[in-house]
Amino acid sequence: MVTPDQARLNQIKLSLQKNDLDALILLHPENILMATGMFPGSSHVVAVVDVDGKVTVLTPWWREQFVLTESWADDVACFDWCKPRSQIDPDKAVTDWLKNWQVGSGIEKIGADLTVHHYSPNKMPSECFTYEKIKKTLGTVFPVARDASHQINSLKAIKTSKEIEKLRISHEVIRVGVEVFYQEARVGIREIDLAAEINAAVIRMVGHKGSKYVFCEAPQITSGSDRTYVADTLSNHPTPRKIQAGDLVLLELGAHVDGYWADITRAVVVGTPSDIQVKLHQAVLAGQAAAIEAYYPGKSTGETLCQSAWTAMREAGFEKGITHFLGHGLGFAYHEDGPTLGPGENVVICPGHVTSIEPGLYWRAEDQLIGGVRVEENVVWGCRPKEVEILSDFYRGLEKP
């Protein structure tokens, strides 16, 4: 059993009291991680946290020892799914256990993660298993069953000190992928081969500082003016295209270590950057710096920070190259539900929020297509004005180091 994150459990207890609930029932991996300190590593794992802070986990039998060792659960229950000759329906097994647990605990009012949304380049495990059958039964099991997704997302948005330490480890791992990107981006290498080298380097980091599981989303590599000009991170997958001299090359890289995500972007020119490439890169870095300079804890919003970055890039002469928002929440997911740094985003940014800052410029100069430059950092917003911890504080230059 790991040492409980008491700060996290206290936040959950306060949230339950504020929302007049007796317990949270959590079905999705990133929410289970928040409440138990454990990335479940299997479907049909359920975490229950009651208003007293007691944590109970239900798991398929083959994960019992893992849950006992890797979580801070007070109680662990199992069901016999996938045993030889077993005909158990896992959805029904979970529902039956919840019925028995409700009778034994007397819990009446629960909130659950009924709605899951991620705007991400990848497919989250939560989206592969939606647990719709289980969710539909909650109203028959408990007298009061509410959708607490907004409440849960708000809890996840503010990281505890222990969670931030886990994120530091994730960024130490992803840093290796960035180093390989700069080393291996060269004339003649195919985008797909560069991506494969980066992926292999990241997943080989499993075991770093005791990590049990490293997952690397397929690195997105785009090269040349045509491909880097399109800022579509949902479909910019690596191709057989061979990198050429003078190419801009972008890396979009997401990975998690035991469920804690890092998400970075870097740009490099293979050869000597042109004047316009250098100016685009400088303007992007100026946009990042402007957003940090504008931060005032408890007052700045996603809108104001985004506009500060955009103003810096406009003043550098690149207004027409701005095509996307500034950043998003992350940590328990590649892209969390919030907070978002962008136009119309009025959520106040507070100490403990973890977001990306990823300004980009995608440029056409008269009849010449230049391409795109984006640099993405992950930051923990601090307690004082202009204070951030840059988790991804490693090389971000436009030329090879």
Side-chain angles (χ1 to χ4, degrees), residues 93-169:
V94 169
T95 300
D96 288 346
W97 181 85
L98 287 171
K99 289 178 180 177
N100 291 331
W101 180 83
Q102 192 278 327
V103 171
S105 67
I107 293 293
E108 295 192 348
K109 297 176 289 185
I110 63 99
D113 47 354
L114 302 185
T115 305
V116 178
H117 169 72
H118 295 288
Y119 176 77
S120 303
N122 67 328
K123 191 76 172 176
M124 290 295 294
S126 300
E127 296 174 284
C128 298
F129 292 93
T130 59
Y131 305 108
E132 292 304 319
K133 288 183 179 179
I134 297 171
K135 292 174 181 178
K136 288 177 181 178
T137 67
L138 293 178
T140 65
V141 175
F142 299 93
V144 176
R146 300 178 194 158
D147 185 355
S149 301
H150 177 73
Q151 175 184 348
I152 294 163
N153 289 335
S154 296
L155 282 166
K156 288 188 299 184
I158 302 288
K159 273 58 176 185
T160 68
S161 59
K162 287 190 175 183
E163 290 161 355
I164 292 168
E165 184 55 40
K166 292 288 188 179
L167 291 172
R168 292 186 185 113
I169 294 172

Side-chain angles (χ1 to χ4, degrees), residues 214-396:
V214 172
F215 172 81
C216 184
E217 175 67 14
Q220 296 188 38
I221 299 290
T222 51
S223 63
S225 56
D226 287 340
R227 284 186 38 77
T228 60
Y229 183 69
V230 180
D232 179 8
T233 57
L234 296 180
S235 60
N236 276 344
H237 304 300
T239 71
R241 182 187 186 276
K242 291 184 177 180
I243 294 174
Q244 302 171 23
D247 273 352
L248 267 170
V249 186
L250 292 186
L251 166 68
E252 164 74 29
L253 182 60
H256 78 70
V257 179
D258 294 329
Y260 297 91
W261 282 88
D263 171 18
I264 61 88
T265 306
R266 292 293 187 267
V268 70
V269 172
V270 177
T272 302
S274 66
D275 288 345
I276 186 63
Q277 288 170 337
V278 170
K279 288 178 180 178
L280 287 167
H281 187 257
Q282 290 174 340
V284 164
L285 296 183
Q288 286 184 336
I292 294 171
E293 184 74 14
Y295 171 61
Y296 196 97
K299 291 188 177 181
S300 301
T301 65
E303 162 86 29
T304 58
L305 297 178
C306 180
Q307 292 298 339
S308 296
W310 285 2
T311 296
M313 293 191 289
R314 290 186 186 110
E315 290 176 350
F318 294 112
E319 180 172 5
K320 292 181 179 179
I322 299 170
T323 67
H324 59 71
F325 65 106
L326 180 64
H328 57 83
L330 76 146
F332 291 109
Y334 199 152
H335 287 202
E336 289 185 2
D337 189 69
T340 299
L341 311 183
E345 297 290 341
N346 295 318
V347 172
V348 174
I349 306 303
C350 299
H353 273 140
V354 178
T355 75
S356 68
I357 305 179
E358 50 182 300
L361 291 169
Y362 309 88
W363 196 249
R364 180 188 295 274
E366 298 178 352
D367 295 330
Q368 182 185 10
L369 186 62
I370 304 301
V373 173
R374 184 172 68 258
V375 178
E376 178 177 11
E377 308 294 1
N378 301 157
V379 305
V380 183
W381 296 95
C383 296
R384 292 182 289 274
K386 309 177 186 181
E387 179 184 69
V388 300
E389 176 185 349
I390 302 176
L391 296 167
S392 51
D393 194 13
F394 33 85
Y395 187 73
R396 60 183 64 83

